[in-house]
Coordinates of all heavy atoms in Angstrom, one line a residue:
K27 N 173.5 62.3 68.3 CA 172.6 62.0 67.2 C 171.3 61.5 67.8 O 170.2 61.9 67.3 CB 173.2 61.0 66.2 CG 172.4 60.8 65.0 CD 173.1 59.8 64.1 CE 173.4 60.5 62.8 NZ 174.0 59.6 61.8
A28 N 171.3 60.6 68.7 CA 170.1 60.0 69.3 C 169.3 61.2 70.0 O 168.1 61.2 69.9 CB 170.4 58.9 70.3
A29 N 170.0 62.1 70.7 CA 169.3 63.2 71.3 C 168.6 64.1 70.3 O 167.5 64.6 70.5 CB 170.3 64.0 72.1
R30 N 169.3 64.3 69.1 CA 168.7 65.2 68.1 C 167.4 64.5 67.5 O 166.4 65.1 67.3 CB 169.7 65.4 67.0 CG 170.8 66.4 67.4 CD 171.6 67.0 66.2 NE 172.0 66.0 65.3 CZ 173.2 65.4 65.3 NH1 174.1 65.7 66.2 NH2 173.6 64.5 64.4
Y31 N 167.5 63.2 67.3 CA 166.4 62.4 66.8 C 165.2 62.4 67.8 O 164.1 62.4 67.5 CB 166.7 61.0 66.3 CG 167.2 61.1 64.9 CD1 168.6 61.2 64.6 CD2 166.3 61.2 63.8 CE1 169.1 61.3 63.3 CE2 166.8 61.3 62.5 CZ 168.2 61.3 62.2 OH 168.6 61.5 60.9
S32 N 165.6 62.3 69.1 CA 164.6 62.3 70.1 C 163.9 63.7 70.1 O 162.6 63.8 70.2 CB 165.2 62.0 71.5 OG 164.2 62.1 72.5
E33 N 164.6 64.7 70.0 CA 164.1 66.1 69.9 C 163.2 66.2 68.7 O 162.1 66.7 68.7 CB 165.2 67.1 69.8 CG 164.7 68.5 69.6 CD 165.8 69.6 69.4 OE1 167.0 69.2 69.5 OE2 165.4 70.7 69.0
L34 N 163.6 65.7 67.5 CA 162.8 65.7 66.3 C 161.5 65.0 66.5 O 160.4 65.5 66.1 CB 163.6 65.1 65.1 CG 162.8 65.0 63.8 CD1 162.4 66.4 63.3 CD2 163.7 64.2 62.8
K35 N 161.5 63.8 67.1 CA 160.3 63.0 67.4 C 159.3 63.8 68.2 O 158.2 63.9 67.9 CB 160.6 61.7 68.0 CG 159.4 60.9 68.2 CD 159.7 59.6 69.0 CE 158.5 58.7 69.2 NZ 157.2 59.4 69.5
G36 N 159.8 64.5 69.3 CA 159.0 65.3 70.1 C 158.4 66.4 69.4 O 157.2 66.7 69.6
R37 N 159.1 67.1 68.6 CA 158.6 68.2 67.8 C 157.6 67.8 66.7 O 156.6 68.4 66.5 CB 159.8 69.0 67.2 CG 160.6 69.7 68.3 CD 161.8 70.4 67.8 NE 161.4 71.6 67.1 CZ 162.3 72.4 66.5 NH1 163.6 72.1 66.5 NH2 161.9 73.5 65.9
L38 N 157.9 66.6 66.1 CA 157.0 66.1 65.1 C 155.7 65.7 65.8 O 154.6 66.0 65.2 CB 157.6 64.9 64.4 CG 158.6 65.2 63.3 CD1 159.2 63.9 62.8 CD2 158.1 66.1 62.2
D39 N 155.7 65.0 66.9 CA 154.5 64.6 67.6 C 153.6 65.7 68.0 O 152.4 65.6 68.0 CB 154.9 63.8 68.9 CG 155.4 62.4 68.5 OD1 155.3 61.9 67.4 OD2 156.0 61.7 69.4
A40 N 154.2 66.9 68.3 CA 153.5 68.1 68.7 C 153.0 68.9 67.5 O 152.2 69.8 67.7 CB 154.4 68.9 69.6
M41 N 153.4 68.5 66.3 CA 153.1 69.3 65.1 C 151.7 69.1 64.7 O 151.2 68.0 64.7 CB 154.1 69.0 64.0 CG 153.9 69.8 62.8 SD 155.1 69.3 61.5 CE 156.5 70.2 62.0
S42 N 151.1 70.2 64.2 CA 149.8 70.2 63.5 C 149.8 71.3 62.5 O 150.5 72.3 62.7 CB 148.6 70.3 64.4 OG 148.5 71.6 65.0
V43 N 149.1 71.2 61.4 CA 149.1 72.2 60.4 C 147.7 72.4 60.0 O 146.9 71.5 59.9 CB 149.9 71.7 59.1 CG1 149.8 72.7 58.0 CG2 151.4 71.4 59.5
T44 N 147.3 73.7 59.7 CA 146.0 74.1 59.3 C 146.0 74.7 57.9 O 147.0 75.5 57.6 CB 145.4 75.1 60.3 OG1 145.3 74.4 61.6 CG2 144.0 75.5 59.9
A45 N 145.1 74.4 57.1 CA 144.9 75.0 55.8 C 143.5 75.5 55.7 O 142.6 74.9 56.2 CB 145.3 74.1 54.7
Q46 N 143.3 76.6 54.9 CA 141.9 77.1 54.7 C 141.7 77.1 53.2 O 142.6 77.4 52.4 CB 141.8 78.5 55.2 CG 140.4 79.0 55.0 CD 140.0 80.2 55.9 OE1 140.6 80.4 57.0 NE2 139.1 81.0 55.5
S47 N 140.5 76.8 52.8 CA 140.2 76.7 51.3 C 140.3 78.1 50.8 O 140.0 79.1 51.5 CB 138.8 76.1 51.1 OG 137.8 76.9 51.7
P48 N 140.6 78.3 49.5 CA 140.7 79.6 48.9 C 139.4 80.4 49.0 O 139.5 81.6 49.1 CB 141.1 79.3 47.4 CG 141.7 77.9 47.5 CD 141.0 77.2 48.6
D49 N 138.3 79.7 48.9 CA 137.0 80.4 49.0 C 136.6 80.7 50.4 O 135.5 81.3 50.6 CB 135.9 79.7 48.2 CG 135.7 78.2 48.7 OD1 136.3 77.9 49.8 OD2 135.0 77.5 48.1
G50 N 137.3 80.3 51.4 CA 137.0 80.5 52.8 C 135.9 79.6 53.3 O 135.4 79.8 54.4
M51 N 135.5 78.6 52.6 CA 134.4 77.7 52.9 C 134.8 76.7 54.0 O 133.9 76.4 54.8 CB 133.9 77.0 51.7 CG 132.5 76.4 51.8 SD 132.0 75.4 50.4 CE 131.9 76.6 49.1
A52 N 136.0 76.3 54.0 CA 136.4 75.2 55.0 C 137.8 75.5 55.5 O 138.6 76.1 54.8 CB 136.3 73.9 54.3
R53 N 138.1 74.9 56.7 CA 139.4 74.9 57.3 C 139.6 73.5 57.8 O 138.8 72.9 58.4 CB 139.4 75.9 58.4 CG 140.7 76.2 59.0 CD 140.7 77.4 60.0 NE 139.7 77.3 61.0 CZ 138.5 78.1 61.0 NH1 138.3 79.0 60.1 NH2 137.7 77.9 62.0
V54 N 140.9 73.0 57.6 CA 141.2 71.6 58.0 C 142.5 71.7 58.7 O 143.5 72.3 58.3 CB 141.3 70.6 56.8 CG1 141.7 69.3 57.3 CG2 140.0 70.6 56.1
T55 N 142.6 71.0 59.9 CA 143.8 70.8 60.6 C 144.2 69.3 60.6 O 143.3 68.5 60.8 CB 143.7 71.3 62.1 OG1 143.3 72.7 62.1 CG2 145.0 71.1 62.9
V56 N 145.5 69.1 60.3 CA 146.0 67.7 60.4 C 147.1 67.6 61.4 O 147.8 68.5 61.7 CB 146.5 67.2 59.0 CG1 145.4 67.2 58.0 CG2 147.6 68.1 58.5
D57 N 147.2 66.4 62.0 CA 148.3 66.1 63.0 C 149.6 65.7 62.2 O 149.6 65.8 61.0 CB 147.9 65.1 64.0 CG 147.7 63.7 63.4 OD1 148.0 63.4 62.3 OD2 147.2 62.9 64.2
S58 N 150.6 65.3 63.0 CA 151.9 65.0 62.4 C 151.9 63.8 61.5 O 152.8 63.6 60.7 CB 152.9 64.8 63.4 OG 152.6 63.7 64.3
N59 N 150.8 63.0 61.5 CA 150.6 61.9 60.6 C 149.8 62.2 59.4 O 149.5 61.3 58.6 CB 150.0 60.7 61.4 CG 151.0 60.1 62.4 OD1 152.2 59.9 62.1 ND2 150.5 59.9 63.6
G60 N 149.3 63.4 59.3 CA 148.5 63.8 58.2 C 147.0 63.5 58.4 O 146.2 63.7 57.5
V61 N 146.6 63.1 59.6 CA 145.3 62.7 60.0 C 144.5 63.9 60.4 O 145.0 64.7 61.2 CB 145.2 61.7 61.1 CG1 143.8 61.3 61.5 CG2 146.0 60.4 60.7
P62 N 143.3 64.2 59.8 CA 142.6 65.4 60.2 C 142.2 65.3 61.6 O 141.7 64.3 62.1 CB 141.3 65.3 59.3 CG 141.7 64.4 58.2 CD 142.7 63.4 58.7
T63 N 142.4 66.4 62.3 CA 142.0 66.5 63.7 C 140.9 67.5 63.9 O 140.2 67.6 64.9 CB 143.2 66.9 64.6 OG1 143.7 68.1 64.2 CG2 144.2 65.8 64.6
E64 N 140.7 68.4 62.9 CA 139.6 69.3 62.9 C 139.2 69.6 61.5 O 140.0 69.9 60.6 CB 140.1 70.7 63.5 CG 139.0 71.7 63.6 CD 139.5 73.0 64.1 OE1 140.6 73.1 64.7 OE2 138.8 74.0 63.9
L65 N 137.9 69.6 61.2 CA 137.3 69.9 60.0 C 136.2 71.0 60.3 O 135.3 70.8 61.0 CB 136.5 68.8 59.3 CG 137.4 67.5 59.0 CD1 136.5 66.4 58.5 CD2 138.4 67.9 57.9
T66 N 136.4 72.2 59.8 CA 135.5 73.3 60.0 C 134.9 73.8 58.8 O 135.6 74.1 57.8 CB 136.3 74.5 60.7 OG1 136.9 74.0 61.9 CG2 135.4 75.6 61.0
I67 N 133.6 73.9 58.8 CA 132.8 74.5 57.7 C 132.4 75.9 58.2 O 131.7 76.0 59.2 CB 131.6 73.6 57.3 CG1 132.0 72.2 56.9 CG2 130.8 74.3 56.3 CD1 130.9 71.2 56.8

Side-chain angles (χ1 to χ4, degrees):
K27 187 178 241 184
R30 287 193 314 264
Y31 275 97
S32 180
E33 177 187 351
L34 176 62
K35 182 185 180 324
R37 292 176 74 185
L38 286 175
D39 288 346
M41 181 180 277
S42 68
V43 177
T44 301
Q46 183 162 334
S47 63
D49 58 9
M51 198 183 296
R53 189 173 49 252
V54 177
T55 300
V56 296
D57 66 11
S58 62
N59 292 313
V61 175
T63 58
E64 180 185 347
L65 301 172
T66 303
I67 299 169

